[in-house]
Amino acid sequence: MYVPQPSRSDAAARDAGDQPRVYQVWRGSNEFFLRGRFIFGPDVRSIFLTMFLIVAPVVAFCVFVARHLIDDFPGDWGISVMVVVVVFTVYDLTLLLLTSGRDPGIIPRNTHPPEPEGFDGSNDSGVQTPQQLRLPRTKDVIVNGISVRIKYCDTCMLYRPPRCSHCSICNNCVERFDHHCPWVGQCIGLRNYRFFYMFVFSTTLLCLYVFAFCWVYIIKIRNAESLSVWKAMLKTPASIVLIIYCFLCVWFVGGLSVFHCYLMSTNQTTYENFRYRYDRRANPYNRGVLSNFLEIFCSRIPPSKNNFRARVTVEQGLQQTRVASRGFMSPNMGKPVGDFEMGRKPVPWDEPRTAADIRDLEAGLGGFLDEKEGRLTHASPDLSRDDLPADLMEGRAGTHSRRSSWVNRTGTSESVDSMNAQIIAAWEAIQSDPVH
């Protein structure tokens, strides 16, 4: 009996179905909900506190103030006081979720470092020196006729685009990074800044609304019972609490609204305002007040560069576990590593990140040694290590001892010159190899 064989496309589809989704193997610090449909920051629990601080005073306002104002206005104006505050609260919470639960503009990480510009695969001797393998720390790009310096991200293995920064909390590079807001539990960037400002501004209006109608209710009591303002306030303690609460909140969210209004008018981010101080130099992104506001509120929000629900392909899985083939070195190799973008102190040599950098360096130099030894190994099936020249074996052993000693000495702080000297010594050992 003929049994039809599954086609190659069917087999590939079956293999893809066994692969995890992107959000399940995400390397950032984010939290995902509804199978990758919503992405939050690691401090997502703070959003519940924010919701409580919004909903609780609104409920108190409806119960102790708005309910008594229903009969104090002619027609349907009384009921509209409660309807407006409820609808406005739902609108405010929706903006909160749009800010907190969407991709703020995360740039996908590279699986290996980029190749240096002008890299042709070889030099005069046929291999690359450690100096050639080191990527430059910064690059200069032109934005609207002004030179802007971009930096290399060691974590994401990419050169950050202009206005991009790496968030140390979410552990992602975010486009047009503004700041990480603990109140919404998310980074504020290119794709959610509009909703963030609308949320802050609508919260300010909600506070002013509750604040105003609490005073209206106090005045109604004063007029109805012919009391002084102070005695009328004692008749409604809930109004006094809401007035104080809203007054304090307006100073926070209102001040934040005014500050971000200034930032939008000059096309700055919070990070740029505190770090670069464009009042001391030209801002390459400022296109005028009207154009700046139109860019924020009327421009199309770019689609996310990450499909969190997509299946991880077999090729992507192999790339994530594969060592970089060319062994390019990080720009910070041999230097104290610090997050200059986020203002963190340099990391000493005894930190885990240093060990990872040293392993990268070992992989880079080890590739040369493995390549040279591989030519001997595969030259003849009968060629063994015992038949190799003694000076070659001593050179190889010496190189390995130097490489392993780097890891053993990570408990002490080494200078950049000492690290470079060890790299050059290892390279000279390779160059002196008679097989080369």
Side-chain angles (χ1 to χ4, degrees):
M1 173 183 284
Y2 171 74
V3 178
Q5 297 295 327
S7 62
R8 182 174 299 180
S9 60
D10 295 337
R14 185 174 59 254
D15 293 339
D18 296 335
Q19 296 296 323
R21 298 187 185 273
V22 172
Y23 77 91
Q24 294 174 324
V25 296
W26 186 251
R27 299 174 65 184
S29 303
N30 303 90
E31 300 287 344
F32 295 87
F33 292 90
L34 296 180
R35 298 185 177 182
R37 290 179 173 86
F38 292 94
I39 174 174
F40 297 89
D43 48 351
V44 61
R45 292 177 180 85
S46 62
I47 194 176
F48 297 104
L49 174 62
T50 304
M51 289 182 176
F52 175 79
L53 294 176
I54 295 174
V55 174
V58 169
V59 172
F61 174 78
C62 292
V63 173
F64 298 104
V65 178
R67 181 170 60 90
H68 299 287
L69 291 175
I70 292 179
D71 299 330
D72 291 341
F73 291 92
D76 296 329
W77 288 104
I79 191 64
S80 64
V81 175
M82 183 177 294
V83 172
V84 169
V85 72
V86 171
V87 173
F88 209 79
T89 302
V90 173
Y91 169 73
D92 196 39
L93 295 177
T94 302
L95 292 174
L96 173 61
L97 293 177
L98 287 175
T99 303
S100 181
R102 68 188 290 121
D103 178 6
I106 300 173
I107 298 180
R109 303 187 184 193
N110 286 335
T111 55
H112 54 80
E115 294 184 357
E117 294 182 358
F119 176 79
D120 56 0
S122 64
N123 58 11
D124 296 337
S125 61
V127 293
Q128 286 72 46
T129 64
Q131 287 78 11
Q132 290 174 318
L133 293 174
R134 186 184 300 279
L135 294 169
R137 173 63 180 166
T138 61
K139 286 184 178 181
D140 291 329
V141 297
I142 304 300
V143 178
N144 297 328
I146 300 177
S147 178
V148 176
R149 179 165 295 180
I150 60 176
K151 296 182 179 181
Y152 181 82
C153 179
D154 299 293
T155 304
C156 300
M157 292 187 288
L158 52 83
Y159 283 97
R160 303 168 186 164
R163 315 193 84 176
C164 174
S165 182
H166 190 92
C167 177
S168 60
I169 299 176
C170 292
N171 198 22
N172 297 308
C173 278
V174 179
E175 291 185 284
R176 202 186 183 278
F177 178 79
D178 190 88
H179 68 288
H180 184 94
C181 181
W183 296 101
V184 303
Q186 181 63 284
C187 287
I188 307 302
L190 177 65
R191 300 190 67 251
N192 64 347
Y193 180 79
R194 176 188 305 176
F195 301 109
F196 168 76
Y197 182 78
M198 294 172 65
F199 164 70
V200 173
F201 185 71
S202 63
T203 305
T204 304
L205 296 180
L206 183 61
C207 290
L208 293 175
Y209 183 90
V210 173
F211 180 86
F213 274 97
C214 284
W215 277 111
V216 169
Y217 182 50
I218 292 175
I219 294 174
K220 289 284 186 180
I221 295 177
R222 185 197 65 177
N223 296 337
E225 301 184 14
S226 301
L227 300 174
S228 63
V229 174
W230 297 108
K231 291 183 178 180
M233 293 174 64
L234 295 177
K235 290 283 187 178
T236 170
S239 297
I240 300 175
V241 174
L242 289 173
I243 287 173
I244 297 174
Y245 178 82
C246 292
F247 178 79
L248 297 176
C249 289
V250 164
W251 278 104
F252 175 69
V253 292
L256 200 60
S257 300
V258 173
F259 174 67
H260 279 277
C261 185
Y262 159 74
L263 293 180
M264 289 187 294
S265 66
T266 56
N267 208 328
Q268 299 183 62
T269 64
T270 303
Y271 179 79
E272 292 169 348
N273 180 262
F274 282 95
R275 181 173 177 84
Y276 296 122
R277 292 293 181 182
Y278 284 131
D279 53 352
R280 301 176 185 174
R281 60 176 180 172
N283 182 358
Y285 311 105
N286 191 353
R287 301 188 299 173
V289 176
L290 180 59
S291 298
N292 292 337
F293 276 102
L294 291 177
E295 178 183 340
I296 296 296
F297 294 107
C298 300
S299 62
R300 179 177 175 269
I301 297 178
S304 174
K305 295 182 179 180
N306 304 277
N307 186 0
F308 300 109
R309 289 180 49 77
R311 296 283 184 182
V312 178
T313 62
V314 178
E315 291 77 8
Q316 290 175 338
L318 292 176
Q319 288 177 352
Q320 291 181 357
T321 58
R322 185 184 302 155
V323 179
S325 58
R326 298 189 185 274
F328 298 124
M329 298 181 188
S330 165
N332 288 329
M333 192 67 67
K335 301 178 182 179
V337 181
D339 195 338
F340 301 102
E341 291 293 331
M342 299 305 295
R344 296 169 60 186
K345 296 182 179 179
V347 181
W349 278 101
D350 56 350
E351 293 290 338
R353 187 173 180 179
T354 302
D357 287 343
I358 294 177
R359 286 194 295 270
D360 293 341
L361 180 58
E362 289 182 350
L365 295 179
F368 305 139
L369 299 173
D370 294 338
E371 181 181 358
K372 296 171 70 63
E373 186 180 13
R375 285 197 291 266
L376 295 175
T377 303
H378 298 290
S380 171
D382 299 328
L383 185 61
S384 64
R385 298 177 65 91
D386 297 335
D387 299 328
L388 294 178
D391 55 349
L392 175 60
M393 296 304 299
E394 292 176 358
R396 177 64 190 259
T399 304
H400 274 292
S401 64
R402 278 189 293 269
R403 289 166 56 193
S404 61
S405 66
W406 291 339
V407 180
N408 295 333
R409 288 199 302 268
T410 55
T412 61
S413 176
E414 298 181 0
S415 64
V416 177
D417 295 337
S418 175
M419 195 69 181
N420 290 336
Q422 293 178 1
I423 296 174
I424 295 173
W427 179 250
E428 290 176 352
I430 298 173
Q431 293 290 69
S432 62
D433 196 329
V435 179
H436 180 73

